[in-house]
C-alpha cells in the first residue's frame, strides 16, 4: 500500500517562504509522476505543480510560476515544494499526489494522495 505524508506547513507572513515535503512509502517514488494540489476554504482542489519521473518535465499553475519550485529526491523517496514570496491567496491545505501513469495537471490523473497539510499566509 502506497502512502504519502506531507510535512512543512504552518503559519507565515506574506513574502515569506516555506518548503513542503512529501515522503512516499510502500513503493519507490521513482515509479510515479508526483504532484502538489491545494484546496482553500469553499473551493475545489486545484493543481499547483507536478514533476515527471525523470524530472525532464515540470508543470506549474500560472499563479505560482516563478515563486514555487517542485523537486524530487528519489534516493530518499521524497518530493518537495519550495514556496517563495508567499501571498495570502496561497493559503490552503496542500496535498501531495502520485500518478502511476503520466504527468498530469488533473486530479483524476493521480492514484494516491496524502492527507494534506495546512499553509496559512497572513497579510
Amino acid at each position: 500500500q502506497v502512502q504519502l505524508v506531507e510535512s512543512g506547513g504552518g503559519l507565515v507572513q506574506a513574502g515569506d517562504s516555506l518548503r513542503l515535503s512529501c515522503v512516499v512509502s510502500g513503493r519507490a517514488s521513482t515509479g510515479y509522476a508526483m504532484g502538489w494540489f491545494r484546496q482553500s476554504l469553499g473551493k475545489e482542489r486545484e493543481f499547483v505543480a507536478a514533476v515527471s519521473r525523470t524530472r525532464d518535465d515540470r508543470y506549474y499553475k500560472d499563479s505560482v510560476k516563478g515563486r514555487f519550485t517542485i523537486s524530487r529526491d528519489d534516493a530518499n523517496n521524497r518530493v518537495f515544494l519550495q514556496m517563495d514570496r508567499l501571498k495570502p491567496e496561497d493559503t490552503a491545505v496542500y496535498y501531495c499526489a502520485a500518478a502511476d501513469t503520466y504527468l498530469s495537471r488533473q486530479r483524476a490523473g493521480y492514484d494516491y494522495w496524502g492527507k494534506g497539510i495546512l499553509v496559512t499566509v497572513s497579510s
Side-chain angles (χ1 to χ4, degrees), residues 14-15 32 34 37 40 44 49 59 65 81 96 101 104 113 123:
Y32 304 103
M34 299 296 299
F37 288 72
S40 53
E44 292 191 355
Y59 296 159
K65 283 181 182 177
L81 185 67
C96 176
T101 53
S104 174
W113 293 84
S123 57

Side-chain angles (χ1 to χ4, degrees), residues 35-101:
W36 287 94
F37 288 72
R38 68 187 183 188
Q39 186 168 16
S40 53
L41 196 62
K43 295 186 178 180
E44 292 191 355
R45 195 172 301 186
E46 64 177 6
F47 170 78
V48 176
V51 58
S52 64
R53 289 181 182 84
T54 61
R55 305 183 184 84
D56 289 342
D57 295 304
R58 288 177 170 83
Y59 296 159
Y60 292 97
K61 177 180 173 62
D62 284 347
S63 64
V64 308
K65 283 181 182 177
R67 298 189 299 122
F68 290 12
T69 304
I70 189 170
S71 61
R72 59 191 300 160
D73 174 7
D74 291 319
N76 292 293
N77 292 316
R78 291 181 183 273
V79 64
F80 303 99
L81 185 67
Q82 177 66 41
M83 304 186 293
D84 298 320
R85 302 194 302 280
L86 282 160
K87 303 177 180 180
E89 51 264 42
D90 295 319
T91 295
V93 175
Y94 283 72
Y95 297 88
C96 176
D100 273 332
T101 53

Side-chain angles (χ1 to χ4, degrees), residues 7-27:
S7 62
L11 171 63
V12 296
Q13 293 186 331
D16 286 350
S17 297
L18 273 179
R19 189 191 196 205
L20 302 184
S21 177
C22 172
V23 60
V24 180
S25 62
R27 183 179 165 187

